[in-house]
Amino acid sequence: MMPSFSRRKILAAGAAGGALTATAAAHAAGVFGNPDLPPQGQMNATAGAFADPGPQNAVMEAQIPAFANPPATDVGGMAQLWSSFSIAPKRVQAGGWARQVTTADFPISTTIAGVNMRLGPGGIRELHWHQQAEWAIMTYGHCRVTAVDQNGHAFVDDVAAGDLWYFPAGLPHSLQGIGPDGCEFVICFDNGAASEDNTLLVTDWFAHTPPEVLAKNFGVPQSAFANIPLQDRWIFQGKEPGPLAADVQAILPDAGPVPNPFTFHLSASTPVKQNSNGMIQLADSTNFKAAITVAAALVTVKPGAMREMHWHPNAAEWQYYIKGKARMTVFNTGPQAATIDFNPGDIGYVPKSFGHYVENTGNEDLVLVAVFRTDKYAEVALADWMAHTPPAMVEQTLNLSAETVAKFARRPQGIVPA
Ligand code: MN
Ligand code: MN
């Protein structure tokens, strides 16, 4: 280990720093907007030092400018909080495709695994079940979903863009793209390690059961099963189903419907917050009663406006960016602060209780869905905390004037103006 006196000398020499220009040196101190010692950020570097002679992937760098040039307020080495379905290979079969981002690709996302799936018209995701609960949001087209619960209660419904479904862990279900152009959606499993390639498929079970057992189980001759598929289908091309009413009639007569519907019209729900800057729509077990392990917020932010600084005390936030451009900074103890840019199709993750905001940095509406592994949505807004703490406490802590603190919003706005 280097003796402490010589280490001090080296630090002093570095701070005097021949490499820093006069302008950069003026910034090189712990000041507002440039808090770190040693300072971090472009404002503290010469043009030559900041340059990136390369090589580099210019297209990818342009997607996330905050990685190439973080704000001077960023600090520390936070785990990667960005991913995207665009970096996940598709598994393509007749009838559709799927791709996924799980902890294998995105280690921080321990609570949620994401799957992006397309089913063309008539395309079927075969009858199956899994050990995790499955929550999903439709992003395009139309889909027919079926499920049965442990009491034989049956469910079938058609969903469209903006709708959700939720299948409790272990309950069997199927999905099918319907007219005019099938569907696309994003599934969230309530376990980050879950995989769409690791589901219990009805075709596999039939093929891997002795024929005499199948015959005994269903009370029909073995020969009735002579043509079952010997390999699983996973996704395959089917025929478009008939009218929904006919399917309802076919499945309900015995045990009746499930007690709580497995689908919910999130984008048509009354916003919990709405103003000229955007809106927030919520679905958790209080209004989407079936969804006992997953809550979601559909967030719309107008250009320049911002989802206010807040955190979630009870769950990590898994984000899917549906429309527009966004910039988020995530804050943790350390201090650590990481700024990230997002485009449609990207995924973000905010560990439980880490502070964050999401700013619309584009010129159209920003739409994202935030998904939480919890039965009830919860957030704490920074402005709400500051406004409902004795003013003297806030003033002394942050060196703020009484006049400034008195201006803080008394009610959380959810989304604040540009
Ligand atoms: Mn499933
Ligand atoms: Mn949030």
Side-chain angles (χ1 to χ4, degrees), residues 16 78 104 111 122 129 143 149 174 176 181 201 208 244 247 276 283 287 298 311 342 383 399 401 403:
M78 206 174 299
T111 58
W129 70 104
C143 185
D149 78 5
S174 70
Q176 184 170 24
D181 188 34
L201 303 173
H208 295 273
L244 178 61
D247 274 359
S276 58
N287 56 351
L298 184 63
W311 70 91
F342 294 94
N399 290 336
S401 71
E403 190 191 11

Side-chain angles (χ1 to χ4, degrees), residues 131-415:
Q131 294 172 302
Q132 301 78 28
E134 170 176 328
W135 177 99
I137 184 165
M138 286 282 292
T139 55
Y140 174 79
H142 299 85
C143 185
R144 180 161 302 175
V145 305
T146 78
V148 172
D149 78 5
Q150 65 275 24
N151 299 310
H153 298 137
F155 184 78
V156 59
D157 196 16
D158 288 349
V159 287
D163 291 345
L164 312 180
W165 68 73
Y166 179 90
F167 302 131
L171 296 192
H173 50 273
S174 70
L175 313 167
Q176 184 170 24
I178 53 180
D181 188 34
C183 58
E184 188 168 344
F185 49 87
V186 164
I187 287 172
C188 291
F189 293 118
D190 65 353
N191 179 329
S195 167
E196 190 63 30
D197 294 330
N198 180 22
T199 59
L200 296 118
L201 303 173
V202 73
T203 50
D204 276 341
W205 203 12
F206 271 73
H208 295 273
T209 298
E212 61 274 22
V213 171
L214 285 179
K216 188 183 286 184
N217 191 70
F218 290 99
V220 297
Q222 290 185 32
S223 58
F225 299 103
N227 296 323
I228 63 168
L230 302 182
Q231 285 82 42
D232 68 67
R233 304 190 112 151
W234 194 63
I235 289 175
F236 68 102
Q237 184 61 52
K239 291 180 206 147
E240 282 208 49
L244 178 61
D247 274 359
V248 170
Q249 206 170 11
I251 64 168
L252 289 190
D254 299 313
V258 296
N260 297 303
F262 290 147
T263 54
F264 182 80
H265 305 296
L266 177 59
S267 65
S269 68
T270 305
V272 293
K273 287 208 169 60
Q274 185 165 31
N275 56 38
S276 58
N277 313 307
M279 64 177 174
I280 301 170
Q281 294 164 292
L282 284 184
D284 68 9
S285 61
T286 57
N287 56 351
F288 182 13
K289 294 194 184 332
I292 53 173
T293 65
V294 177
L298 184 63
V299 180
T300 303
V301 183
K302 296 290 176 186
M306 189 176 87
R307 178 75 179 90
E308 71 176 313
M309 298 168 79
H310 67 280
W311 70 91
H312 305 278
N314 62 345
E317 172 173 336
W318 184 97
Q319 304 169 329
Y320 178 62
Y321 286 83
I322 295 171
K323 190 180 168 192
K325 286 183 169 291
R327 173 166 283 199
M328 171 166 76
T329 302
V330 177
F331 164 74
N332 186 25
T333 177
Q336 292 183 326
T339 301
I340 311 167
D341 299 297
F342 294 94
N343 291 287
D346 289 350
I347 297 166
Y349 196 80
V350 183
K352 182 163 77 174
S353 290
F354 283 24
H356 55 286
Y357 65 85
V358 182
E359 196 177 12
N360 182 341
T361 49
N363 46 27
E364 61 171 341
D365 281 8
L366 165 68
V367 180
L368 70 119
V369 65
V371 183
F372 307 85
R373 188 174 69 185
T374 180
D375 62 334
K376 289 193 181 65
Y377 177 85
E379 75 172 71
V380 178
L382 177 61
D384 202 33
W385 180 28
M386 296 293 100
H388 297 98
T389 296
M393 172 68 76
V394 177
E395 291 159 24
Q396 292 173 81
T397 302
L398 292 166
N399 290 336
L400 299 176
S401 71
E403 190 191 11
T404 296
V405 173
K407 283 180 183 157
F408 290 174
R410 306 291 298 177
R411 290 262 180 276
Q413 303 175 79
I415 302 163

